[in-house]
């Protein structure tokens, strides 16, 4: 589980830098200001959670069920949240918005909220 968190964290970080540069340069001409802000939100959240995955991967054993669920929620939540935003903004810029992606973004956000709650619970559990 540690290697999964570290690998996905590094992959998400790499992709966030690439997608951020792509958004700042290549998409600037074809995106509206709102689409560009949405795309940037996806990149920011992806990078934030890439760093979280790396920190957790280097500081936790990640062998308890709580820690495993937390990592899965961060991994899948980030994927669903950020990549659905990328799909929505890219498809909207082409005039063919993929509406089926719309409900996926809040599911990803909910998984991220659950992941943060699990992390908080793990801290509380260690104090009590």
């Amino acid at each position: 589980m540690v290697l999964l968190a570290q690998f996905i964290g590094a992959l998400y970080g790499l992709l966030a830098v690439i997608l951020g540069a792509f958004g700042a340069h290549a998409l600037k001409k074809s995106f509206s200001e709102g689409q560009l802000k949405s795309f940037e939100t996806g990149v920011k959240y992806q990078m934030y959670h890439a760093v979280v995955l790396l920190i957790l991967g280097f500081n936790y054993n990640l062998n308890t069920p709580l820690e495993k669920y937390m990592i899965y929620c961060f991994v899948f939540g980030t994927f669903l949240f950020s990549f659905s935003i990328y799909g929505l903004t890219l498809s909207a810029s082409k005039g063919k918005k993929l509406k089926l992606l719309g409900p996926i973004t809040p599911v990803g956000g909910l998984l991220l909220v659950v992941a943060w709650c699990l992390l908080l619970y793990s801290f509380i559990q260690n104090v009590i």
Side-chain angles (χ1 to χ4, degrees):
M1 185 60 59
V2 169
L3 289 177
L4 174 71
Q6 292 170 345
F7 177 81
I8 298 294
L11 178 64
Y12 279 174
L14 170 69
L15 291 175
V17 171
I18 291 169
L19 290 168
F22 181 66
H25 300 288
L27 298 178
K28 215 174 203 178
K29 297 174 186 172
S30 62
F31 271 26
S32 70
E33 189 175 320
Q35 290 167 335
L36 198 53
K37 284 188 179 213
S38 291
F39 192 87
E40 289 171 354
T41 297
V43 171
K44 283 187 227 175
Y45 273 69
Q46 182 177 331
M47 183 57 86
Y48 297 153
H49 292 96
V51 172
V52 168
L53 283 167
L54 289 170
I55 290 169
L56 293 174
F58 283 108
N59 290 293
Y60 275 71
N61 291 328
L62 304 176
N63 54 9
T64 68
L66 172 73
E67 292 168 344
K68 289 177 184 178
Y69 290 132
M70 177 178 57
I71 294 302
Y72 288 135
C73 286
F74 275 125
V75 168
F76 293 117
T78 302
F79 181 80
L80 293 175
F81 183 82
S82 291
F83 286 85
S84 65
I85 290 175
Y86 304 148
L88 284 166
T89 55
L90 286 167
S91 63
S93 74
K94 303 292 183 198
K96 299 177 182 178
K97 190 172 184 178
L98 295 174
K99 293 184 182 185
L100 68 113
L101 292 177
I104 293 174
T105 307
V107 171
L110 181 61
L111 285 172
L112 291 173
V113 169
V114 169
W116 284 103
C117 287
L118 292 172
L119 180 59
L120 180 61
Y121 180 75
S122 75
F123 293 150
I124 292 169
Q125 185 180 15
N126 289 331
V127 172
I128 297 175

